Amino acid sequence: MNVLHHADLPAEQPHVRRRVALVAHDHKKQDLLEWAQFNRSILARHDLIGTGTTGALIERELGLPVALLHSGPVGGDLQLGARIVDGLIDILLFFWDPLEPQPHDPDVKALLRIAVVWNLPVACNRATADFLISSPLLDSQYSRFLPEYPPAAAIERLSMRAVG
């Protein structure tokens, strides 16, 4: 098991670039923007990925480069989920709105589910985002534990045996 504890961290760490995904629902975009402005100097040391409108907003207002995906409702959440599965995202900051129905709610749930499946650090609000961004693990050589899943072909063979 690949686990690093805070006490195991050396005093000086070389800088590690994380791939940080930024997503916010409409009523939470201002919240994420204010949080990102406050943490701009930290975010500038990492690679940022954002869904459509959120990513463009962060790029414009902070002047930082953001790899832009599609907007969430037209597939951006699914693109982000695929990147998580492929190991291309290290942290997900997803300020979602629990009080507002979303037309793409199944995609939202799928994104949150896949982040948990792959043991990805996720912040859904400012308080949790503060904890993540201020963690000494952010700039360390920390590698999260990745579950081992059988390849899709093996799962298909097992399910076919159960049917046949």
Side-chain angles (χ1 to χ4, degrees), residues 5 17 21 29 38 47 53 66 77 98 100-101 106 112 114 119 125 133 138 157:
H5 298 282
R17 287 188 76 82
K29 286 189 190 328
F38 184 80
D47 298 321
T53 313
V66 178
D77 294 338
E100 192 69 30
L112 292 170
I114 209 68
N119 195 31
N125 57 45
I133 201 124
L138 182 67
R157 282 193 303 274

Side-chain angles (χ1 to χ4, degrees), residues 64-144:
L64 296 175
V66 178
L68 298 176
L69 305 176
H70 288 289
S71 178
V74 296
D77 294 338
L78 297 175
Q79 286 180 300
L80 202 47
R83 287 185 178 212
I84 291 168
V85 171
D86 290 339
L88 301 175
I89 301 294
D90 299 309
I91 297 171
L92 173 61
L93 305 177
F94 187 0
F95 286 25
W96 62 280
D97 189 346
L99 302 178
E100 192 69 30
Q102 301 297 322
H104 63 300
D105 194 55
D107 297 350
V108 170
K109 288 182 178 164
L111 176 57
L112 292 170
R113 179 185 166 279
I114 209 68
V116 171
V117 164
W118 288 100
N119 195 31
L120 193 77
V122 178
C124 295
N125 57 45
R126 286 175 83 149
T128 310
D130 286 340
F131 273 84
L132 281 180
I133 201 124
S134 63
S135 170
L137 299 176
L138 182 67
D139 290 321
S140 77
Q141 293 297 323
Y142 175 83
S143 295
R144 70 184 189 277

Side-chain angles (χ1 to χ4, degrees), residues 10-26:
E12 292 297 319
Q13 292 284 322
H15 174 68
V16 175
R17 287 188 76 82
R18 300 285 182 201
R19 295 159 299 186
V20 180
L22 303 163
V23 186
H25 286 157
D26 289 344

